[in-house]
Amino acid sequence: MNLAETAGTDLSTLVSSFTGPMGTQFAAAAPAVIGAAAAIAVVLWGVPKLISFFKHSAK
């Protein structure tokens, strides 16, 4: 085994040890993040539609 293989193995171990817990935390938080993003998208899209609807219905 040469130095490059050792460094690759160590880097691989380091990355997997970091991404393992992060992946678990992201998987736990993903529904909340997706829900919040969907809510923001609905507000940004829906509020101007509602305003224009009320402006047209007020005439």
Side-chain angles (χ1 to χ4, degrees), residues 16-35:
S16 65
S17 69
F18 177 72
T19 57
M22 294 298 288
T24 304
Q25 291 178 1
F26 177 75
V33 171
I34 292 169

Side-chain angles (χ1 to χ4, degrees), residues 25-57:
Q25 291 178 1
F26 177 75
V33 171
I34 292 169
I40 290 170
V42 167
V43 168
L44 290 176
W45 176 80
V47 169
K49 297 287 182 187
L50 283 174
I51 291 171
S52 65
F53 172 74
F54 285 121
K55 281 184 180 179
H56 290 296
S57 64

